[in-house]
Amino acid sequence: MWDNAGALKRITRWLMLLVIVILLGAFGVWIYNSPYFPVKQVRIEGEIQRTGNKQLQTVAQKYIRGNILKADLNGAQEAFAKLPWIGKVTIRRRLPDTVEIRLVERIPVARWKDSALVDSEGNLFKAATDETFPEFEGQPGTARDMVNHYNRFTGIIRPLDLHIVKLEYTARSAWSAELDNGIVVRLGRENEIDRMQRFADMWPSILKEQEKYLEYIDMRYKDGFAVRYREKPQEEDEPSEEQDLAAETPNRQ
């Protein structure tokens, strides 16, 4: 073999390649452990309103320090994600000396049975706040659906200057919404969006003038609705305690 020039050349090339790989590996280890590539800048981006700067700085200082290649970005990401108001975290190295952190805060939509908050994506989370939010009362796993319905209902009644203070989704899949004027709108188990729209259509011309007397409005009729009065208007022709205000009132659903 030693007289075979071709074989010697191949062995020489493999040895040279092996030496190069070893040198590159050693260089990489040296860079990884070197004090000469420190993190000099940490950029925190995003619209942060509810998370304190001190909390963010504490996490960054704990995990993102020393050599930029050894900075514990995974640990930092997990720690940021545990902060109550933080919904999404993205962290990237920008060589030679910068770490970029992109944070997205949760947008609170409602309170969940007085035990948690619900964000705009239907996630439950616990965080301290004195802000006022509508209350959701639903079954486990329905928060996202309730956020979607809340947004659609709100879009329908907002032009009427009405607001939902409590949204309920029962175990029987029935919807009802309590408004800020104290009136409950019962929507039932199907066609709830159309029924809310029908309520909105009838509110200005039929229902608004009786607003202070109404306890609830039942929209679970095909072509009409029924109301219950909390207090009878002081008029000659007083309405009954529960009165149908529809020309046609078939079975409710």
Side-chain angles (χ1 to χ4, degrees), residues 131-143:
E131 297 173 84
T132 300
F133 300 105
E135 179 185 350
F136 282 4
E137 186 171 333
Q139 305 307 303
T142 63

Side-chain angles (χ1 to χ4, degrees), residues 157-227:
I157 65 175
R158 185 185 290 117
L160 306 174
D161 197 25
L162 295 173
H163 306 277
I164 295 173
V165 297
K166 182 177 181 180
L167 182 64
E168 184 176 1
Y169 186 47
T170 71
R172 298 182 62 191
S173 301
W175 294 91
S176 67
E178 181 180 343
L179 308 181
D180 55 348
N181 58 10
I183 297 174
V184 175
V185 183
R186 297 181 177 178
L187 301 166
R189 292 177 292 175
E190 56 186 41
N191 302 319
E192 62 275 4
I193 303 300
D194 293 338
R195 289 171 176 174
M196 181 64 86
Q197 183 62 61
R198 185 152 47 87
F199 160 78
D201 294 340
M202 295 178 178
W203 176 259
S205 59
I206 300 176
L207 297 168
K208 183 173 176 56
E209 62 182 12
Q210 305 179 66
E211 177 177 3
K212 64 181 179 179
Y213 302 112
L214 295 173
E215 180 179 334
Y216 70 74
I217 302 171
D218 193 338
M219 302 301 301
R220 296 175 294 173
Y221 293 89
K222 181 179 179 181
D223 298 306
F225 59 92
V227 302

Side-chain angles (χ1 to χ4, degrees), residues 27-220:
F27 182 68
V29 171
W30 177 78
I31 291 179
Y32 185 78
N33 293 284
S34 172
Y36 301 112
F37 299 91
V39 175
K40 293 183 179 179
Q41 187 174 11
V42 177
R43 296 176 184 168
I44 298 180
E45 303 174 345
E47 297 183 6
I48 307 300
Q49 299 178 353
R50 295 179 171 86
T51 305
N53 289 330
K54 185 176 181 179
Q55 288 180 294
L56 301 179
Q57 291 173 4
T58 298
V59 173
Q61 291 171 0
K62 180 178 180 180
Y63 294 94
I64 305 174
R65 59 185 181 179
N67 188 301
I68 190 171
L69 297 178
K70 293 184 69 176
D72 186 4
L73 301 195
N74 290 332
Q77 183 157 347
E78 292 178 1
F80 279 120
K82 290 179 180 178
L83 297 178
W85 289 104
I86 300 301
K88 295 180 182 179
V89 184
T90 304
I91 304 180
R92 293 187 178 91
R93 292 182 177 88
R94 297 296 186 189
L95 298 178
D97 56 14
T98 301
V99 174
E100 293 182 352
I101 303 169
R102 177 71 181 178
L103 302 177
V104 178
E105 273 195 330
R106 301 179 187 275
I107 300 175
V109 173
R111 293 190 182 275
W112 183 265
K113 301 179 181 179
D114 295 328
S115 63
L117 294 171
V118 185
D119 69 17
S120 58
E121 296 185 359
N123 300 307
L124 302 184
F125 68 103
K126 293 188 176 182
T129 178
D130 295 329
E131 297 173 84
T132 300
F133 300 105
E135 179 185 350
F136 282 4
E137 186 171 333
Q139 305 307 303
T142 63
R144 179 167 299 190
D145 194 22
M146 293 191 72
V147 169
N148 292 335
H149 276 75
Y150 172 79
N151 290 335
R152 297 189 68 179
F153 291 154
T154 297
I156 292 171
I157 65 175
R158 185 185 290 117
L160 306 174
D161 197 25
L162 295 173
H163 306 277
I164 295 173
V165 297
K166 182 177 181 180
L167 182 64
E168 184 176 1
Y169 186 47
T170 71
R172 298 182 62 191
S173 301
W175 294 91
S176 67
E178 181 180 343
L179 308 181
D180 55 348
N181 58 10
I183 297 174
V184 175
V185 183
R186 297 181 177 178
L187 301 166
R189 292 177 292 175
E190 56 186 41
N191 302 319
E192 62 275 4
I193 303 300
D194 293 338
R195 289 171 176 174
M196 181 64 86
Q197 183 62 61
R198 185 152 47 87
F199 160 78
D201 294 340
M202 295 178 178
W203 176 259
S205 59
I206 300 176
L207 297 168
K208 183 173 176 56
E209 62 182 12
Q210 305 179 66
E211 177 177 3
K212 64 181 179 179
Y213 302 112
L214 295 173
E215 180 179 334
Y216 70 74
I217 302 171
D218 193 338
M219 302 301 301
R220 296 175 294 173

